[in-house]
Amino acid sequence: ESSRPYSCLARVTFPGMQLLNSLAVDLVASVIYDHVTDSIITLGFSGSQTIIADQYQASTLRPQLRYSIPISVTWLLHAPKMSDGYLLFLGSETPFVGSIFAVDLRRQMIYQQDPPTAGPSQRPRRWVLPYNKFVERLPENPAMASKQSQDGPCAH
C-alpha cells in the first residue's frame, strides 16, 4: 500500500446503496459527471500545482485519460447542457487572467483562448495545446481497484 493520500470512487446500486466496485485514485478536490461522454471526471493538482483532470468510464470506473491544464488558480465553469462534453476553466492568475482553457472530452483535446481585447473587431487568439504534452492515457491499475468481495484501500 502506498502512503500517498488518495480518494475513493465507488459505484453503488440505488436505492440499496450496495457497493458494486470502487477505485482508489490520486487525491482529488472535486468530482463531476459528464453526460455526453458518460464519464466521471476528477479534478486535483499535480506536484507542480497545475490542474489535473482525470477521466473515468462511469459504468465501470475504467481509467481513460489525464488532462494537464497548465494553471493552478482557475474557475471551473460548469453548466449542465451548456458545458456537457467540455471542461471550461477561466484563468484567474497572472499571466492567464481571463484566458479560457477548454477540454474537449470527446475529441480529447485542450484549447486555450486569450482573454477578450479592448479592440472593436479583434477576436481573441485560440489554439490547441500539444496532445503529447498535455494529454495522457491513464494506466489500468488492478492493484488499486477493488470488488465488493475483495480487500483494497476502498473496499470498506
Side-chain angles (χ1 to χ4, degrees):
E1 302 255 341
S2 173
S3 62
R4 285 186 0 204
Y6 61 89
S7 296
C8 292
L9 296 179
R11 285 189 333 115
V12 297
T13 62
F14 186 80
M17 302 304 284
Q18 289 288 116
L19 179 65
L20 297 174
N21 66 325
S22 60
L23 179 69
V25 298
D26 290 331
L27 186 64
V28 299
S30 186
V31 178
I32 60 175
Y33 173 71
D34 180 69
H35 294 276
V36 170
T37 59
D38 190 33
S39 297
I40 301 294
I41 310 296
T42 63
L43 300 169
F45 294 94
S46 70
S48 59
Q49 291 303 302
T50 58
I51 304 289
I52 297 294
D54 289 347
Q55 183 177 12
Y56 299 87
Q57 211 298 315
S59 62
T60 63
L61 299 182
R62 185 174 160 267
Q64 293 179 313
L65 295 169
R66 169 169 284 178
Y67 300 93
S68 300
I69 296 89
I71 52 178
S72 61
V73 181
T74 184
W75 290 94
L76 171 65
L77 308 175
H78 186 73
K81 296 183 183 172
M82 295 298 291
S83 57
D84 277 349
Y86 294 90
L87 300 175
L88 302 172
F89 297 95
L90 176 61
S92 56
E93 69 179 341
T94 304
F96 300 112
V97 173
S99 292
I100 298 283
F101 292 84
V103 177
D104 184 334
L105 298 168
R106 287 176 289 189
R107 293 190 177 102
Q108 304 172 355
M109 300 171 79
I110 303 175
Y111 302 91
Q112 182 177 347
Q113 179 175 304
D114 284 342
T117 59
S121 62
Q122 247 181 356
R123 297 187 72 185
R125 271 185 337 134
R126 181 182 310 155
W127 61 94
V128 176
L129 298 182
Y131 182 92
N132 59 352
K133 185 174 180 183
F134 295 98
V135 182
E136 64 181 285
R137 291 239 166 257
L138 282 173
E140 293 280 345
N141 191 351
M144 294 297 270
S146 61
K147 297 282 187 218
Q148 184 177 4
S149 60
Q150 296 177 326
D151 290 332
C154 295
H156 306 289

